[in-house]
Amino acid sequence: MSRYKDPSFHSAFLFLFAALVLSGCGDDESSGDANTAAATLPAYERIPDCDGLAALLGDLVSGLTPADDDGEPGRYQEDGRYGVNCTWLTPRVRSDNAFEMVKGGSLTVGITVDPRDSSDEKTLRDLGMVYDDARVEALGGYVVDMGGKLDPAAQLGMVGPQVVVGHVNISFAAGGLYLQKVEELRNVTNDRVIEAAVTLHRSLR
């Protein structure tokens, strides 16, 4: 298969594009009003570890198992940025039956705080990559939809919505071992993760 038809290639490309647009725009006057009216940056100490994140996410991660982490649970500080990245595995991943295991998958949630950079809402909106959501707009933020056709009722995929408020970006992604949609995560929809991101943003204030 050509790498240009490989779903993993397209996912990687979208994440790279997101990184370029969602950073390096802190001094750009074209940045959206949400960035200029953003809430105070949360201190590193306010960022939850994976256990704290699970408590805030509630039913969204109920029945899932935290992925093994040899270091501090999820939290990081590097190059002026800080945040947390956590992954939970579905029950089938832990199965001793290989045919069951390959049907499993994971849910990943990340919070990134970068005091130096803010995203360029205008550029993203011009590209059709902003999804309007009243819950997020009430926080002074917006939803980044890299595919440009977000269906709130659809199951969360490998490139999920990112909820940006000022310098704080909360992202979600889910997928199986072979990039398929995971039956065990069928109730994790785009709308549910946007609602969860709103809850997380509020908890950091």
Side-chain angles (χ1 to χ4, degrees):
M1 176 186 291
S2 167
R3 67 172 181 160
Y4 297 103
K5 295 181 180 179
D6 188 339
S8 62
F9 174 82
H10 288 285
S11 295
F13 174 80
L14 288 172
F15 278 122
L16 176 61
F17 184 84
L20 293 173
V21 178
L22 291 170
S23 64
C25 305
D27 298 324
D28 190 339
E29 293 181 359
S30 67
S31 294
D33 293 339
N35 293 323
T36 60
T40 302
L41 288 175
Y44 174 72
E45 293 72 22
R46 287 190 60 82
I47 304 298
D49 61 14
C50 292
D51 288 340
L53 196 56
L56 290 166
L57 293 171
D59 290 345
L60 203 65
V61 296
S62 178
L64 305 183
T65 303
D68 294 334
D69 192 330
D70 295 331
E72 182 181 359
R75 296 206 304 170
Y76 67 89
Q77 263 185 316
E78 57 186 21
D79 299 327
R81 302 169 63 212
Y82 54 94
V84 62
N85 287 309
C86 302
T87 298
W88 290 268
L89 306 176
T90 67
R92 279 177 169 163
V93 173
R94 303 291 190 182
S95 175
D96 293 330
N97 184 324
F99 294 101
E100 285 296 305
M101 184 185 68
V102 297
K103 298 177 184 178
S106 63
L107 171 66
T108 299
V109 182
I111 300 175
T112 302
V113 183
D114 193 337
R116 302 165 303 177
D117 297 321
S118 60
S119 60
D120 189 342
E121 179 183 356
K122 183 179 184 302
T123 297
L124 290 166
R125 189 173 289 279
D126 289 346
L127 292 170
M129 294 182 178
V130 172
Y131 173 78
D132 293 317
D133 186 284
R135 297 165 296 183
V136 178
E137 291 169 359
L139 297 178
Y142 58 96
V143 179
V144 179
D145 167 29
M146 297 309 299
K149 297 179 181 180
L150 183 71
D151 177 359
Q155 183 176 340
L156 176 67
M158 290 193 67
V159 182
Q162 301 177 45
V163 178
V164 181
V165 180
H167 300 280
V168 183
N169 184 326
I170 297 180
S171 59
F172 293 81
L177 297 178
Y178 291 98
L179 308 181
Q180 82 278 14
K181 292 289 180 69
V182 181
E183 180 184 354
E184 293 169 305
L185 297 175
R186 63 185 179 278
N187 293 325
V188 181
T189 63
N190 290 320
D191 187 72
R192 286 192 69 194
V193 300
I194 291 172
E195 179 65 32
V198 169
T199 298
L200 294 178
H201 272 293
R202 291 189 184 280
S203 75
L204 296 174
R205 295 189 165 191

